[in-house]
Amino acid sequence: QVQLVESGGGLVQAGGSLRLSCAASGRTFAGYTMGWFRQAPGKEREFVAHITWNYGTTYADSGKGRFTISRDHAKNTVHLQMNSLQPEDTAVYYCAGSTQTYAITVDSFGSWGQGTQVTVSS
């Protein structure tokens, strides 16, 4: 497994941007599909985006056109650039790693970070 630490969350006004980062440790990072999930109060954790080892990306409808996921194999990092943020994007955002290439469900990810809070004010 990989160990994951997120950063970059914060408070932003509607229409603003944030860039989340996830630092991974472990020799197997390069082979993992890396994902971002989010969980709002009282709601289930939901898929946001993932990027495969060879840079294939998948996005949930909620983030298409606004969010961009990227990874840097040399630095063992994954990023989520979020633009045009809206109050409904408010949630704790989690970085996750999976050995399954096309993983998009919570259960298909075995490694998780501690989460970073994103709050979007109206």
Side-chain angles (χ1 to χ4, degrees):
Q1 291 192 348
V2 295
Q3 290 74 49
L4 305 171
V5 178
E6 303 98 332
S7 61
L11 174 65
V12 64
Q13 289 187 332
S17 299
L18 280 175
R19 185 175 187 243
L20 306 183
S21 297
C22 175
S25 60
R27 294 180 299 171
T28 57
F29 170 79
Y32 271 53
T33 284
M34 300 302 297
W36 287 95
F37 286 75
R38 66 186 184 185
Q39 188 166 18
K43 295 188 176 181
E44 294 186 351
R45 192 168 298 189
E46 64 177 8
F47 173 79
V48 174
H50 82 206
I51 185 166
T52 65
W53 66 272
N54 59 347
Y55 307 105
T57 57
T58 301
Y59 296 92
D61 288 343
S62 58
K64 284 182 180 177
R66 301 188 300 130
F67 294 175
T68 302
I69 188 170
S70 61
R71 71 188 296 168
D72 186 332
H73 282 289
K75 296 182 179 180
N76 278 13
T77 56
V78 180
H79 303 284
L80 184 69
Q81 177 67 42
M82 304 187 293
N83 299 327
S84 302
L85 284 163
Q86 299 301 316
E88 52 266 35
D89 295 315
T90 295
V92 177
Y93 283 70
Y94 296 91
C95 177
S98 175
T99 58
Q100 301 177 38
T101 301
Y102 301 109
I104 60 170
T105 64
V106 171
D107 290 345
S108 59
F109 285 80
S111 300
W112 292 87
Q114 82 289 350
T116 185
Q117 177 70 46
V118 170
T119 302
V120 184
S121 63
S122 57

